[in-house]
Amino acid sequence: MESDCSPRPVGLLALQGDFALHAELLSRMGVPTLLVRRTDELARCRALVLPGGETTTMHRLLRSSGLWQPLLEFAAGHALLGTCAGAILMARVITDSGGVEPLGILDVTLQRNAYGRQVDSFEAELGTTVTLPQDFAQSQPARGVFIRAPRILALGQGVEVLAVHEQEPVAVRSGRHMALTFHPELRGDPRWHQLWLASSDAGR
Ligand code: GLN
């Protein structure tokens, strides 16, 4: 019997937020992508990115689209990458949640909009605790763009810190899942996506 050998795409949760920039970045890396708005689309993917955006809206749309439960089941066997709002949704606990329920995929506590109004957005150099994949267009160290970003207040067992800003974790990994409180896609920095895919492909 013939089998389809084309690689399965990496999905972009496309209910709301800046999924298009992630799609662009992954395409530049030569990774096939698929926008995910329905369960059958999710089922075709080998991994999924939860983009930044507005957590309350994304939460509502995850519920109304019927994707909430399938996403939980998908996460049990596939890699997820969450950035900012996506990271918040992946958390086990959200403080200042504004009614947003967390998916509970990653054993971390996140505080929404934790940097206050006057510094809603900023860019900063990150201290990385992992060696990022080599990319000649991007120089070490990495920089993070933070937009109304959350803070990671607590880490559960087995959650590894990959990068810090002012001694606080801003990139974490647990098994095949990764969460970033900043936006690498806004700088077009592919190294976090590469790191994520490399560790999830290795079957972590
Ligand atoms: N502040 C937003 C929220 O909590 C997240 C911001 C972002 O994704 N850049 O929904």
Side-chain angles (χ1 to χ4, degrees):
M1 209 165 84
E2 261 183 28
S3 66
D4 179 3
C5 289
S6 56
R8 289 203 296 146
V10 169
L12 289 317
L13 184 66
L15 298 174
Q16 192 268 337
D18 81 334
F19 53 86
L21 283 177
H22 285 276
E24 216 173 278
L25 186 60
L26 286 162
S27 298
R28 265 200 285 128
M29 291 162 57
V31 176
T33 59
L34 180 70
L35 299 187
V36 171
R37 298 189 176 96
R38 298 190 318 251
T39 309
D40 60 309
E41 292 162 340
L42 181 62
R44 290 170 51 198
C45 297
R46 69 175 160 114
L48 184 74
V49 176
L50 279 67
E54 185 50 43
T55 320
T56 43
T57 310
M58 240 184 269
H59 171 241
R60 184 168 43 75
L61 293 173
L62 272 175
R63 281 296 192 187
S64 62
S65 64
L67 268 174
W68 185 269
Q69 190 56 34
L71 180 51
L72 285 175
E73 287 159 21
F74 184 85
H78 303 82
L80 258 55
L81 170 67
T83 58
C84 205
I88 297 169
L89 284 167
M90 282 170 71
R92 191 173 63 77
V93 179
I94 306 172
T95 67
D96 298 325
S97 72
V100 175
E101 273 170 288
L103 285 157
I105 289 165
L106 200 64
D107 191 5
V108 293
T109 300
L110 261 81
Q111 182 186 7
R112 282 185 71 199
N113 301 327
Y115 290 93
R117 280 182 183 280
Q118 69 283 20
V119 280
D120 276 348
S121 304
F122 60 96
E123 187 176 323
E125 196 168 290
L126 308 177
T128 47
T129 55
V130 283
T131 306
L132 289 172
Q134 183 86 24
D135 185 281
F136 293 104
Q138 301 282 335
S139 58
Q140 300 268 16
R143 292 183 69 78
V145 178
F146 295 84
I147 302 171
R148 289 175 59 76
R151 265 195 162 103
I152 300 176
L153 301 183
L155 303 172
Q157 253 199 338
V159 180
E160 181 191 358
V161 176
L162 306 176
V164 295
H165 166 60
E166 292 180 346
Q167 274 110 58
E168 291 182 12
V170 293
V172 294
R173 175 167 65 188
S174 178
R176 46 167 80 90
H177 303 313
M178 194 183 283
L180 315 173
T181 63
F182 56 94
H183 290 267
E185 76 287 0
L186 284 176
R187 290 186 51 82
D189 185 346
R191 293 175 294 173
W192 299 98
H193 293 68
Q194 279 166 5
L195 186 67
W196 170 60
L197 288 174
S199 50
S200 52
D201 284 345
R204 291 169 61 103

Coordinates of all heavy atoms in Angstrom, one line a residue, residues 55-114:
T55 N -5.6 36.8 25.3 CA -6.0 35.5 25.9 C -7.5 35.3 26.1 O -8.0 34.2 25.9 CB -5.3 35.4 27.3 OG1 -4.0 36.0 27.2 CG2 -5.2 34.0 27.8
T56 N -8.2 36.4 26.5 CA -9.6 36.2 26.8 C -10.4 35.8 25.5 O -11.2 34.9 25.5 CB -10.2 37.6 27.3 OG1 -9.7 38.6 26.5 CG2 -9.9 37.8 28.8
T57 N -10.0 36.5 24.4 CA -10.7 36.2 23.1 C -10.3 34.7 22.6 O -11.2 34.0 22.2 CB -10.2 37.2 22.0 OG1 -10.3 38.5 22.5 CG2 -11.0 37.0 20.7
M58 N -9.0 34.4 22.7 CA -8.6 33.1 22.3 C -9.3 32.0 23.1 O -9.7 31.0 22.6 CB -7.1 33.0 22.4 CG -6.4 32.7 21.1 SD -4.7 32.4 21.3 CE -4.1 34.1 21.1
H59 N -9.4 32.2 24.4 CA -10.0 31.3 25.3 C -11.5 31.1 24.9 O -12.0 30.0 24.8 CB -9.9 31.8 26.8 CG -10.8 31.1 27.7 ND1 -11.8 31.6 28.5 CD2 -10.7 29.8 28.1 CE1 -12.3 30.7 29.2 NE2 -11.7 29.6 29.0
R60 N -12.2 32.2 24.7 CA -13.6 32.1 24.3 C -13.8 31.4 23.0 O -14.6 30.5 22.8 CB -14.2 33.6 24.1 CG -15.6 33.7 23.9 CD -16.2 35.1 24.0 NE -15.4 36.1 23.5 CZ -15.2 36.4 22.2 NH1 -15.9 35.7 21.3 NH2 -14.5 37.4 21.8
L61 N -12.9 31.7 22.0 CA -13.0 31.0 20.7 C -12.6 29.5 20.8 O -13.2 28.7 20.0 CB -12.1 31.7 19.7 CG -12.6 33.2 19.3 CD1 -11.6 33.9 18.4 CD2 -14.0 33.1 18.7
L62 N -11.7 29.2 21.6 CA -11.3 27.8 21.8 C -12.5 27.0 22.3 O -12.8 25.9 21.9 CB -10.2 27.6 22.8 CG -8.8 27.7 22.3 CD1 -7.8 27.6 23.4 CD2 -8.5 26.5 21.3
R63 N -13.2 27.6 23.3 CA -14.4 27.0 23.8 C -15.5 26.9 22.7 O -16.1 25.8 22.5 CB -15.0 27.8 25.0 CG -14.2 27.6 26.3 CD -14.3 26.1 26.7 NE -13.9 25.9 28.1 CZ -13.8 24.6 28.6 NH1 -14.1 23.6 27.9 NH2 -13.3 24.5 29.8
S64 N -15.8 28.0 22.0 CA -17.0 28.0 21.1 C -16.7 27.2 19.9 O -17.6 26.7 19.3 CB -17.4 29.5 20.8 OG -16.3 30.1 20.1
S65 N -15.5 27.1 19.5 CA -15.1 26.3 18.3 C -15.1 24.8 18.5 O -15.0 24.0 17.6 CB -13.8 26.7 17.7 OG -12.8 26.4 18.7
G66 N -15.2 24.4 19.8 CA -15.1 23.0 20.1 C -13.7 22.4 20.1 O -13.5 21.2 20.2
L67 N -12.7 23.3 20.0 CA -11.3 22.9 20.0 C -10.7 22.6 21.3 O -9.6 22.0 21.4 CB -10.4 23.9 19.2 CG -10.3 23.8 17.7 CD1 -9.5 25.0 17.2 CD2 -9.5 22.5 17.4
W68 N -11.3 23.0 22.4 CA -10.7 22.9 23.7 C -10.3 21.5 24.1 O -9.1 21.2 24.3 CB -11.7 23.5 24.8 CG -11.1 23.6 26.1 CD1 -11.2 22.6 27.1 CD2 -10.4 24.7 26.7 NE1 -10.6 23.0 28.3 CE2 -10.1 24.3 28.0 CE3 -10.0 25.9 26.2 CZ2 -9.4 25.2 28.9 CZ3 -9.4 26.8 27.1 CH2 -9.0 26.4 28.4
Q69 N -11.2 20.6 24.0 CA -11.0 19.2 24.4 C -10.0 18.5 23.4 O -9.0 17.9 23.8 CB -12.3 18.4 24.6 CG -12.2 17.0 25.2 CD -11.5 17.0 26.6 OE1 -11.6 18.0 27.3 NE2 -10.7 16.0 26.9
P70 N -10.3 18.6 22.1 CA -9.3 18.0 21.1 C -7.9 18.6 21.3 O -6.9 17.8 21.2 CB -9.9 18.5 19.8 CG -11.3 18.7 20.0 CD -11.4 19.2 21.4
L71 N -7.8 19.8 21.7 CA -6.4 20.4 21.9 C -5.7 19.8 23.1 O -4.6 19.4 23.1 CB -6.6 21.9 22.1 CG -5.3 22.7 22.3 CD1 -4.3 22.4 21.3 CD2 -5.6 24.2 22.3
L72 N -6.5 19.5 24.2 CA -6.0 18.8 25.3 C -5.5 17.4 25.0 O -4.4 17.0 25.4 CB -7.0 18.8 26.5 CG -7.3 20.0 27.2 CD1 -8.4 19.8 28.2 CD2 -6.0 20.5 28.0
E73 N -6.3 16.7 24.2 CA -5.9 15.4 23.7 C -4.7 15.4 22.8 O -3.8 14.6 22.9 CB -7.1 14.7 23.0 CG -8.2 14.3 24.1 CD -9.5 14.1 23.4 OE1 -9.6 13.8 22.2 OE2 -10.5 14.2 24.2
F74 N -4.6 16.4 21.9 CA -3.5 16.6 21.0 C -2.2 16.8 21.8 O -1.2 16.2 21.5 CB -3.8 17.8 20.1 CG -2.7 18.0 19.0 CD1 -2.8 17.3 17.8 CD2 -1.7 18.9 19.3 CE1 -1.8 17.6 16.9 CE2 -0.8 19.2 18.3 CZ -0.8 18.5 17.1
A75 N -2.3 17.6 22.9 CA -1.1 18.0 23.7 C -0.6 16.8 24.4 O 0.6 16.8 24.8 CB -1.5 19.1 24.6
A76 N -1.4 15.8 24.6 CA -0.9 14.6 25.4 C 0.1 13.8 24.5 O 0.9 13.1 25.0 CB -2.1 13.7 25.8
G77 N 0.1 14.0 23.2 CA 1.0 13.2 22.3 C 1.8 14.0 21.3 O 2.5 13.5 20.5
H78 N 1.6 15.4 21.3 CA 2.3 16.2 20.3 C 2.8 17.4 21.0 O 2.4 17.8 22.1 CB 1.3 16.7 19.2 CG 0.6 15.6 18.5 ND1 -0.5 14.9 19.0 CD2 0.9 15.0 17.3 CE1 -0.8 14.0 18.1 NE2 0.0 14.0 17.1
A79 N 3.8 18.1 20.3 CA 4.5 19.2 20.9 C 3.7 20.5 20.7 O 3.1 20.7 19.6 CB 5.9 19.4 20.2
L80 N 3.7 21.3 21.7 CA 3.0 22.7 21.7 C 4.1 23.7 21.9 O 4.9 23.6 22.8 CB 1.9 22.8 22.7 CG 0.5 22.6 22.3 CD1 0.3 21.3 21.5 CD2 -0.4 22.7 23.5
L81 N 4.0 24.8 21.2 CA 4.8 26.0 21.5 C 3.8 27.2 21.7 O 3.0 27.5 20.8 CB 5.7 26.4 20.3 CG 6.4 27.7 20.3 CD1 7.5 27.7 21.5 CD2 7.1 28.0 19.0
G82 N 3.9 27.8 22.9 CA 3.0 28.9 23.2 C 3.9 30.2 23.3 O 4.9 30.2 24.0
T83 N 3.4 31.3 22.7 CA 4.1 32.5 22.9 C 3.1 33.5 23.5 O 2.0 33.7 23.0 CB 4.7 33.1 21.6 OG1 3.6 33.3 20.6 CG2 5.7 32.2 21.0
C84 N 3.5 34.2 24.6 CA 2.7 35.2 25.2 C 1.3 34.7 25.6 O 1.2 33.9 26.4 CB 2.8 36.5 24.4 SG 2.5 37.9 25.5
A85 N 0.3 35.2 24.9 CA -1.1 34.7 25.2 C -1.1 33.2 25.1 O -1.8 32.5 25.9 CB -2.1 35.3 24.2
G86 N -0.4 32.6 24.1 CA -0.4 31.2 23.9 C 0.2 30.5 25.1 O -0.3 29.4 25.6
A87 N 1.3 31.1 25.7 CA 1.9 30.5 26.9 C 1.0 30.6 28.1 O 0.9 29.7 28.9 CB 3.2 31.3 27.2
I88 N 0.2 31.7 28.2 CA -0.7 31.9 29.3 C -1.7 30.8 29.3 O -2.0 30.1 30.3 CB -1.4 33.3 29.2 CG1 -0.4 34.4 29.4 CG2 -2.5 33.4 30.3 CD1 -0.9 35.8 29.1
L89 N -2.3 30.5 28.1 CA -3.3 29.5 28.0 C -2.8 28.1 28.3 O -3.5 27.2 28.8 CB -3.9 29.5 26.5 CG -4.8 30.6 26.2 CD1 -5.1 30.7 24.7 CD2 -6.2 30.4 27.0
M90 N -1.5 27.8 28.0 CA -0.9 26.5 28.3 C -0.6 26.3 29.8 O -0.4 25.1 30.2 CB 0.5 26.4 27.6 CG 0.3 26.1 26.1 SD 1.9 26.2 25.3 CE 2.8 24.8 25.9
A91 N -0.6 27.4 30.6 CA -0.2 27.2 32.0 C -1.2 26.3 32.8 O -2.3 26.0 32.4 CB -0.2 28.6 32.6
R92 N -0.7 25.9 34.0 CA -1.5 25.2 34.9 C -2.3 26.2 35.8 O -3.5 25.9 36.1 CB -0.7 24.3 35.8 CG -1.5 23.3 36.6 CD -0.6 22.3 37.4 NE 0.2 23.0 38.4 CZ -0.2 23.4 39.5 NH1 -1.4 23.2 39.9 NH2 0.7 23.9 40.4
V93 N -1.7 27.3 36.1 CA -2.4 28.3 36.9 C -2.2 29.7 36.3 O -1.0 30.0 35.9 CB -1.8 28.4 38.4 CG1 -2.5 29.4 39.2 CG2 -1.9 27.0 39.0
I94 N -3.2 30.5 36.2 CA -3.1 31.9 35.7 C -3.5 32.8 36.9 O -4.6 32.6 37.4 CB -4.0 32.2 34.5 CG1 -3.8 31.2 33.4 CG2 -3.8 33.6 34.0 CD1 -4.8 31.3 32.2
T95 N -2.7 33.8 37.2 CA -3.1 34.8 38.2 C -3.5 36.0 37.4 O -3.1 36.3 36.3 CB -2.1 35.1 39.2 OG1 -1.0 35.8 38.6 CG2 -1.5 33.9 39.9
D96 N -4.4 36.8 38.0 CA -5.0 38.0 37.3 C -5.6 37.5 36.0 O -5.4 38.1 35.0 CB -4.0 39.1 37.1 CG -3.5 39.7 38.4 OD1 -4.3 39.7 39.4 OD2 -2.3 40.0 38.4
S97 N -6.4 36.4 36.1 CA -6.8 35.7 34.8 C -7.9 36.4 34.1 O -8.0 36.2 32.9 CB -7.2 34.3 35.2 OG -8.5 34.4 35.8
G98 N -8.6 37.3 34.7 CA -9.8 37.9 34.0 C -10.7 36.9 33.5 O -11.4 37.1 32.5
G99 N -10.9 35.8 34.2 CA -11.9 34.8 33.8 C -11.3 33.7 32.8 O -12.1 32.9 32.4
V100 N -10.1 33.9 32.4 CA -9.5 32.9 31.5 C -9.1 31.6 32.2 O -8.4 31.7 33.2 CB -8.2 33.5 30.8 CG1 -7.6 32.4 29.9 CG2 -8.6 34.7 30.0
E101 N -9.6 30.5 31.7 CA -9.3 29.2 32.3 C -8.0 28.7 31.6 O -7.9 28.8 30.4 CB -10.3 28.2 31.9 CG -11.5 27.9 32.6 CD -12.4 27.0 31.7 OE1 -12.9 27.5 30.7 OE2 -12.5 25.8 32.1
P102 N -7.0 28.2 32.3 CA -5.9 27.6 31.7 C -6.1 26.2 31.2 O -7.0 25.5 31.7 CB -4.8 27.6 32.8 CG -5.6 27.5 34.1 CD -7.0 28.1 33.8
L103 N -5.4 25.9 30.1 CA -5.5 24.5 29.6 C -4.8 23.5 30.5 O -5.1 22.3 30.6 CB -4.8 24.4 28.2 CG -5.6 25.0 27.1 CD1 -4.7 25.4 25.9 CD2 -6.7 24.0 26.6
G104 N -3.8 24.0 31.3 CA -3.1 23.1 32.2 C -2.1 22.1 31.6 O -1.9 21.0 32.1
I105 N -1.6 22.5 30.5 CA -0.7 21.7 29.7 C 0.8 21.7 30.3 O 1.5 20.8 30.2 CB -0.7 22.0 28.2 CG1 -2.1 21.6 27.6 CG2 0.4 21.4 27.4 CD1 -2.4 22.2 26.3
L106 N 1.1 22.9 30.8 CA 2.5 23.1 31.3 C 2.4 23.5 32.8 O 1.6 24.4 33.1 CB 3.1 24.3 30.5 CG 4.6 24.4 30.4 CD1 5.2 23.3 29.7 CD2 4.9 25.7 29.6
D107 N 3.2 22.8 33.6 CA 3.1 23.0 35.0 C 3.9 24.3 35.5 O 4.9 24.3 36.1 CB 3.7 21.8 35.7 CG 3.4 21.8 37.2 OD1 2.7 22.7 37.7 OD2 3.9 20.9 37.9
V108 N 3.3 25.5 35.1 CA 3.8 26.8 35.5 C 2.6 27.7 36.0 O 1.5 27.4 35.6 CB 4.5 27.5 34.3 CG1 5.8 26.8 33.9 CG2 3.6 27.7 33.1
T109 N 3.0 28.7 36.8 CA 2.0 29.7 37.2 C 2.4 31.0 36.4 O 3.5 31.4 36.5 CB 2.0 29.9 38.7 OG1 1.7 28.7 39.3 CG2 1.0 31.0 39.1
L110 N 1.5 31.6 35.7 CA 1.7 32.8 35.0 C 0.8 33.9 35.4 O -0.4 33.7 35.7 CB 1.5 32.6 33.4 CG 2.8 32.3 32.6 CD1 3.2 30.9 32.8 CD2 2.5 32.7 31.2
Q111 N 1.4 35.1 35.5 CA 0.5 36.3 35.8 C 0.3 37.1 34.5 O 1.3 37.5 33.9 CB 1.2 37.2 36.9 CG 0.4 38.4 37.2 CD 1.2 39.3 38.2 OE1 2.4 39.1 38.4 NE2 0.5 40.3 38.7
R112 N -0.9 37.3 34.2 CA -1.2 38.1 33.0 C -0.8 39.6 33.1 O -0.9 40.1 34.2 CB -2.7 38.0 32.6 CG -3.1 36.8 32.0 CD -4.6 36.9 31.6 NE -4.8 37.8 30.5 CZ -6.0 38.3 30.2 NH1 -7.0 38.1 30.9 NH2 -6.1 39.1 29.1
N113 N -0.4 40.2 32.0 CA -0.2 41.6 32.0 C 0.7 42.1 33.2 O 0.4 43.1 33.8 CB -1.5 42.4 32.0 CG -2.3 42.0 30.8 OD1 -1.8 41.7 29.7 ND2 -3.6 42.0 30.9
A114 N 1.7 41.4 33.5 CA 2.4 41.5 34.7 C 3.4 42.7 34.8 O 3.9 43.0 35.9 CB 3.2 40.2 35.0

